[in-house]
Amino acid sequence: MDDPTRVEWREWGQAAFDEAAAADVPVLLSLTATWCDHCHEMDAETYADPRIAANVNDSFVPVRVDVDRRPRVRDRYNMGGFPSTVFLAPDGNVLTGAGYLGPDGMRQVVDSVRTMWQTNGSGAARVPRPLREGEPPAGELSPDIEAAMLGQLTESYDEVAGGWGGGPKFPLPDALEFALKRDREMALRSFDAVSANVFDEYDGGFYRFAAEPDWSGLQHEKLLDSNGALVRAFANAYLHTGDDAYREPAERTIEYLTTTLWNDEVDAFANSQAPGEPAAHGIDVTDRALADEPPVDDGVFAGPNALAIEGLLTYYAYTDDERARRYAERALETLRTELIVDGVVAHDLDGSLEADGSTCLLANQARTLAALTTVASTIDPDAVADACAVADATIDRLRDGGSFLDGPTEGVGLLERPLRPLDSNVAFADALVDLAALTGEKTYRTCAQKTLEAYAGASDRFGVQIARYATAVSRLLEGPLVIRVADEPGSDLHRAAWRLADHEKVVVPETDGDLEFGTARVERREHDSAAAETPEQLSDRLQTLLE
C-alpha cells in the first residue's frame, strides 16, 4: 500500500537513534500494521497534514515500525493498541505515548513533547514497568489455580451476549477451550456467540474482534494467528459435541486460509487481510461479490504458520479432511526447511530482520513446538526429533532462572531489556507437557513445571485471556490423558484414539515400546489400562480408567 504521509520515515535501527542524539531531538516511533484500519486512517488524516508532517520532520526523528515484522519492538513500546504513537529519548527510553491521534490531538502532543524535551531532556524519559521488573513472583502449583480461573470465567461471563467481559470483545480461543472441559454450557454458548458474531458468513474466516459488549462494532481485519487458533478451538468443540454447528465454521475457515491467505509462491500462509471498504461488509451478496478484494499481507511468519498447521491437523485428526492435511503438510515443509535451523526458528521467511535479533523468539519457538508435537501425534511420528530440537534450543538460549525471555537481549533502545511474556511462557510450558508424553523425557515435564511455578505467585490475578495457564497447570498436576497407539498413523485404532472426547489428551505413536503392534493403551499418571485391539475396546478401556 502506498504511503500517503508526508513524514520522512526512517527504518528502526541504530542509525535513527544516532541521528536523534546528534541533533538533540526525540524519536517519534509509529507502531503500525498492514491490517490496521485506524493506522491507515491516521496516515491519511494526521501524518498527511503538511503542517503536522513538517513539525514532525523538523522536531523529531520519525521511525516507522511494522508490528508483525518486529514483535520485540512492538512488545516493548505498545501503548495498548495500534497505531501506537510513542516519543522516545535518543537512548530508547519512553517520554510519553498515545494511540490514535487525530490532527488536533497530534498538534497538542507534539507541542507538549517539544516543551518537555526543551525543559527536561532525557531526564523526562522512563523505562516501562514490565521492563524494570525482575522475575515474576513464584509459587506452588495447586488445583486452586484451575478453580480460580473457572471462577474468573464464571464471574466475567456475559449471560446475555455470550463470551467474556465487556467491550472490546475478543473470541479468546484459549478460554473457549478451557471452559469446554469445565463448564460446557458456558463454553458452547460462547462458541455460538463467536460464530454468530465474528465469523464471516460470506468469505469464511473470523474477524479479529468486536468493539462493543453486544458484539457490534466489528473490526473486519482477519489475522492468520487468531484464525489458526480458532480452527483448533472449533474442531475441539466438534470433538466434544459431534455437532456440525462447530465443525462448519472450522471447515469454512480452512477454506479461507487455503485460498485467500495461501501464498502459493512459497507454500505457506500469508499473515493477514486488511478490512477493506467498511461498506463492503454490510451489503448484499451480489454487491459484495463486485466489491474490491481487501488487500492481503503476503508476509510469511513462523509463529502464525505454526498455529495454522496445528489447527488444520487437529481438524484433520477428527474429520479425515484431506484438504486440511494437504495444506498443513505443505506449510510444514516450508517451516521445516526454510525457517528452522538446529531448532532455532526464524521469525519470517524473508530473513531480512535476522541481524536485529529476530531469530529464536519465544513466541515462535512455543508455537512451532506445539505444531510439531501435533504433527508427531497425527501424521508423522518422526517429527518428535524436530520438536526436541526446538525445545532444546529454546531452553538453551532463552531460559533465564525459572522462566523464559522473549528473545535475545540485544538491539537498539529497550530491546536490550529482558522481557518475560506470560502468554509465551505458558504456551511453551504447555507444549513441553505434550513433548514429555511423546518422548518419556522427564526433563521436559520438569522444565514445564518450573516455568509454570515461576508465575504461580501472581496466578490469582490472571484474567480470562490467560486461561491457558490454568489448562497447563491442570494437565501438569493431573497428568494429561495419554493414549499410546502401536499402529500406523491413520489406522482405525489411531483415528479412534484421536476421537476420544478429551481435547487435552496426548496421542503417542508407540514405535519401540512394550505394546504389541495393532494395539493401544490408555494411561493417566501411574494408571494404565489393558491393551485394546479395536476402537470399541479402546473406548471401553478409557471409561474403565476414568471410573
Side-chain angles (χ1 to χ4, degrees), residues 104-141:
D104 291 340
M106 188 66 172
R107 291 187 191 98
Q108 293 175 10
V109 171
V110 164
D111 290 342
S112 173
V113 172
R114 187 187 293 114
T115 300
M116 179 194 306
W117 182 255
Q118 291 170 350
T119 304
N120 298 310
S122 294
R126 58 183 174 80
V127 175
R129 191 176 72 176
L131 297 173
R132 299 195 306 268
E133 297 173 345
E135 290 201 55
E140 293 186 6
L141 303 181

Side-chain angles (χ1 to χ4, degrees), residues 161-414:
W164 295 279
K169 217 156 197 176
F170 287 85
L172 301 178
D174 290 344
L176 290 170
E177 290 176 319
F178 174 84
L180 193 54
K181 275 191 63 175
R182 297 161 180 90
D183 189 325
R184 181 161 158 166
E185 181 180 355
M186 177 170 62
L188 294 181
R189 286 190 62 193
S190 296
F191 272 103
D192 293 342
V194 170
S195 60
N197 293 289
V198 187
F199 183 71
D200 182 355
E201 292 286 353
Y202 183 79
D203 283 327
F206 291 89
Y207 298 125
R208 184 163 165 256
F209 71 97
E212 302 300 330
D214 63 356
W215 297 96
S216 62
L218 276 180
Q219 305 300 296
H220 292 106
E221 60 268 15
K222 297 179 186 175
L223 276 59
L224 175 61
D225 55 3
S226 56
N227 274 274
L230 284 166
V231 166
R232 183 195 65 208
F234 273 81
N236 286 327
Y238 172 65
L239 170 71
H240 280 259
T241 64
D243 191 336
D244 283 345
Y246 306 109
R247 181 191 59 79
E248 289 172 0
E251 179 184 46
R252 291 206 56 211
T253 300
I254 290 171
E255 292 176 2
Y256 169 77
L257 296 179
T258 56
T259 52
T260 302
L261 287 193
W262 183 251
N263 187 331
D264 206 44
E265 293 183 4
V266 295
D267 264 6
F269 295 100
N271 186 56
S272 61
Q273 186 175 33
E277 293 298 322
H281 299 280
I283 56 182
D284 63 37
V285 172
T286 302
D287 288 340
R288 185 161 177 181
L290 298 175
D292 291 337
E293 186 77 7
V296 169
D297 178 355
D298 284 331
V300 171
F301 302 100
N305 267 268
L307 277 172
I309 292 166
E310 182 186 4
L312 266 63
L313 287 180
T314 301
Y315 182 82
Y316 163 76
Y318 303 151
T319 64
D320 295 329
D321 185 272
E322 283 300 319
R323 180 192 190 112
R325 173 176 177 152
R326 185 170 67 253
Y327 278 91
E329 288 178 326
R330 292 172 68 181
L332 174 65
E333 179 66 15
T334 299
L335 184 67
R336 277 172 150 172
T337 60
E338 302 294 334
L339 288 165
I340 307 175
V341 178
D342 296 330
V344 175
V345 183
H347 179 59
D348 66 318
L349 192 61
D350 179 84
S352 61
L353 303 181
E354 291 185 13
D356 192 35
S358 291
T359 57
C360 206
L361 304 184
L362 181 59
N364 293 333
Q365 300 288 126
R367 290 172 171 183
T368 300
L369 179 58
L372 289 170
T373 58
T374 303
V375 170
S377 292
T378 54
I379 62 173
D380 181 10
D382 291 340
V384 75
D386 289 337
C388 288
V390 170
D392 294 344
T394 311
I395 294 168
D396 179 59
R397 290 171 174 246
L398 298 180
R399 192 174 187 182
D400 183 71
S403 58
F404 289 81
L405 305 181
D406 70 324
T409 52
E410 60 187 38
V412 176
L414 295 179

